[in-house]
């Protein structure tokens, strides 16, 4: 907190701009889930068409993350992020048009814009606040999660009071403010200055990069699998529908405080091996509680929520801590999120297929147990105090 208080006026404007980026990176997606029944009814969509609306953003994240860093290196981080916010705003506007084609086009554009923001914001923090990576990452990630949760919460009453078009477009106001604030950064834009060798750094060849990617991919697979299937699992175990919905909310709420405090404390630690190992252990214990102690499901859900917050906070902090240059941070972020969101897209699919084939939840949950084990024994090595550049 003291570090933030010491910032000058320009740094404060940049800080607010970073928070507004975070506010626009999850809310446009989380608002749609609640509005899907209304969208389906208004546009006469099939279940398959509705499913595509939820998968498209994740696939966009995975695809665009591969080349976001390269584009930013050519045009500069500030300009590229400004363009990303513009793309998100255009996508929000197009998505609200009462037409199936515009719904899909808008959703794709939102996914593309968010992917750029996800990948490049850690690089911006690394470049502008190299001595405050933890606290800046903490504020950025907690704002992202708060606005994501808030968007889910307010969408239902807005759909009921007005219509789905208004409900899923309201976040565009925040994105527009972000564009206005971020435009101030374009005035100070200058060509990206990096050590020449950073151009040739291939993060895909770094064992450390793969360890961080495993942490990112693992937590994504678990989070999105549970977001999609936890209610149905609980219903099959006799948990009432209203209680299952409450548990899902608790899972997301448990994440928020940890996404804030984890980067701050992680940055001050000599290394984060034990913390990352403990994250995998919490995932494993939480999953075992869900599998074998369903009456105590709330305990397992809270443990998984804590682990998800730790993992998300750690991986975003590692983008800055484990690199020496902003452009390398963007490359690492791009790699981790490309693989991570691919896991997020296929994880729930595999979870559902295994349940359909075996008619049991144990096989599905075994995927999560294996993933937790991989985080414990391999992902935890991302906590060692070294950089990508040192490993290549």
């Amino acid at each position: 907190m003291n570090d933030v208080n010491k910032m000058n006026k320009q740094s404060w404007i940049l800080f607010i701009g970073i928070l507004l980026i975070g506010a626009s990176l999850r809310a446009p997606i989380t608002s749609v889930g609640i509005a899907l029944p209304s969208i389906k009814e208004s546009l006469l969509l099939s279940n398959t068409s509705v499913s595509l609306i939820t998968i498209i953003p994740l696939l966009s994240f995975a695809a665009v993350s591969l080349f976001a860093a390269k584009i930013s290196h050519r045009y500069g981080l500030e300009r590229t992020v400004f363009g990303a916010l513009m793309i998100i705003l255009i996508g929000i506007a197009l998505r609200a048009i009462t037409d199936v084609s515009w719904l899909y086009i808008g959703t794709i554009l939102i996914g593309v814009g968010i992917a750029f923001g996800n990948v490049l914001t850690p690089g911006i923090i690394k470049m502008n606040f190299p001595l405050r990576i933890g606290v800046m990452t903490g504020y950025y990630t907690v704002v992202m999660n708060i606005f994501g949760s808030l968007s889910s919460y307010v969408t239902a009453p807005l759909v009921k009071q007005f219509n789905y078009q208004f409900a899923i477009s309201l976040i565009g106001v925040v994105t527009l403010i972000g564009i206005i604030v971020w435009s101030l950064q374009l005035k100070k834009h200058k060509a990206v200055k990096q050590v020449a060798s950073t151009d040739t750094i291939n993060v895909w060849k770094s064992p450390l990069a793969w360890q961080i990617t495993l942490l990112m991919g693992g937590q994504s697979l678990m989070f999105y699998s549970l977001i999609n299937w936890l209610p149905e699992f609980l219903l099959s175990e006799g948990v009432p529908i209203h209680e299952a919905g409450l548990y899902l909310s608790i899972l997301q709420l448990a994440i928020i405080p940890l996404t804030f405090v984890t980067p701050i404390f992680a940055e001050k630690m000599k290394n984060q091996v034990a913390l990352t190992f403990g994250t995998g252990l919490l995932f494993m214990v939480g999953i075992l509680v869900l599998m074998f102690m369903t009456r105590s499901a709330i305990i397992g859900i809270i443990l998984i929520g804590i682990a998800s917050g730790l993992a998300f906070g750690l991986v975003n902090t590692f983008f800055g801590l484990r690199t020496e240059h902003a452009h390398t941070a963007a490359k690492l972020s791009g790699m981790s999120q490309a693989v991570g969101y691919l896991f997020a897209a296929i994880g729930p699919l595999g979870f559902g297929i295994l349940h359909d084939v075996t008619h049991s939840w144990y096989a599905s949950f075994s995927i999560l147990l294996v993933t937790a084990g991989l985080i414990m024994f391999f992902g935890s090595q991302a906590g060692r105090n070294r950089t990508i550049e040192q490993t290549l």
Side-chain angles (χ1 to χ4, degrees):
M1 184 69 72
N2 290 333
D3 285 338
V4 176
N5 291 335
K6 294 176 183 177
M7 296 192 301
N8 57 32
K9 183 178 178 180
Q10 286 186 336
S11 295
W12 269 105
I13 293 173
L14 177 58
F15 173 60
I16 293 170
I18 289 172
L19 296 186
L20 287 167
I21 293 172
S24 297
L25 294 187
R26 184 163 288 187
I29 302 300
T30 57
S31 61
V32 172
I34 307 298
L36 279 180
S38 179
I39 294 173
K40 180 181 178 181
E41 181 181 353
S42 298
L43 300 180
L44 303 176
L45 298 177
S46 65
N47 287 329
T48 301
S49 299
V50 170
S51 298
L52 283 175
I53 298 172
T54 63
I55 295 173
I56 285 173
L58 297 175
L59 295 178
S60 297
F61 296 165
V64 176
S65 295
L66 292 172
F67 55 82
K70 187 174 182 179
I71 291 176
S72 72
H73 189 63
R74 178 173 181 179
Y75 295 104
L77 286 169
E78 296 91 349
R79 289 179 179 175
T80 309
V81 168
F82 179 81
L85 290 172
M86 291 291 294
I87 291 171
I88 293 172
L89 184 61
I90 293 169
I92 291 172
L94 294 180
R95 186 177 63 175
I97 298 174
T98 313
D99 181 85
V100 176
S101 298
W102 289 119
L103 173 67
Y104 286 128
I105 293 171
T107 302
I108 291 170
L109 289 177
I110 289 170
V112 170
I114 290 177
F116 274 102
N118 281 334
V119 170
L120 302 181
T121 306
I124 289 172
I125 293 173
K126 172 74 175 179
M127 181 171 65
N128 293 282
F129 302 101
L131 302 180
R132 304 183 181 117
I133 291 173
V135 69
M136 292 299 168
T137 302
Y139 279 110
Y140 158 69
T141 54
V142 79
V143 166
M144 184 193 305
N145 284 284
I146 286 175
F147 270 80
S149 299
L150 188 62
S151 181
S152 295
Y153 179 75
V154 303
T155 297
L158 287 175
V159 169
K160 185 176 181 180
Q161 183 70 28
F162 301 100
N163 51 53
Y164 85 82
Q165 294 95 331
F166 178 80
I168 65 176
S169 299
L170 192 59
I171 188 60
V173 175
V174 177
T175 305
L176 178 60
I177 296 171
I179 289 170
I180 294 170
V181 173
W182 200 253
S183 66
L184 301 176
Q185 302 303 317
L186 302 181
K187 298 177 182 178
K188 68 174 188 178
H189 171 77
K190 51 187 177 182
V192 178
K193 293 182 179 179
Q194 295 288 353
V195 177
S197 61
T198 61
D199 265 347
T200 60
I201 288 178
N202 185 349
V203 294
W204 294 83
K205 293 183 178 180
S206 167
L208 174 58
W210 279 106
Q211 290 158 2
I212 295 171
T213 298
L214 174 60
L215 178 60
M216 177 66 186
Q219 66 90 22
S220 296
L221 185 150
M222 289 204 223
F223 177 76
Y224 284 98
S225 293
L226 290 173
I227 284 293
N228 282 276
W229 289 104
L230 181 62
E232 186 166 340
F233 164 71
L234 291 174
L235 287 173
S236 71
E237 295 292 325
V239 178
I241 182 64
H242 67 276
E243 195 173 327
L246 176 62
Y247 285 1
L248 197 61
S249 298
I250 290 172
L251 171 64
Q252 296 180 76
L253 288 173
I255 293 173
I256 293 175
L258 272 299
T259 58
F260 177 66
V261 300
T262 300
I264 297 172
F265 284 103
E267 185 185 19
K268 296 177 180 179
M269 298 173 71
K270 185 177 180 180
N271 67 67
Q272 298 80 28
V273 174
L275 186 58
T276 314
F277 182 89
T279 298
L281 183 61
L282 285 172
F283 271 130
M284 184 169 287
V285 174
I287 293 160
L288 288 171
V289 170
L290 285 180
M291 291 175 69
F292 301 108
M293 301 171 61
T294 312
R295 290 179 179 270
S296 303
I298 186 65
I299 296 174
I301 287 165
I302 291 173
L303 291 176
I304 293 169
I306 292 171
S308 296
L310 284 169
F312 191 74
L314 279 169
V315 77
N316 277 279
T317 306
F318 286 158
F319 294 151
L321 288 185
R322 295 295 176 260
T323 56
E324 297 173 17
H325 306 285
H327 189 56
T328 309
K331 284 185 176 182
L332 174 61
S333 177
M335 170 186 172
S336 297
Q337 298 197 54
V339 175
Y341 285 113
L342 183 61
F343 278 27
I346 65 175
L349 179 63
F351 198 95
I353 289 174
L354 273 177
H355 176 258
D356 288 344
V357 171
T358 64
H359 303 289
S360 168
W361 291 106
Y362 291 110
S364 299
F365 275 104
S366 67
I367 297 176
L368 307 190
L369 283 177
V370 170
T371 303
L374 290 173
I375 290 175
M376 288 170 61
F377 297 106
F378 296 102
S380 62
Q381 297 307 301
R384 289 192 288 174
N385 191 11
R386 55 199 174 130
T387 65
I388 297 293
E389 288 86 348
Q390 291 171 352
T391 64
L392 292 172

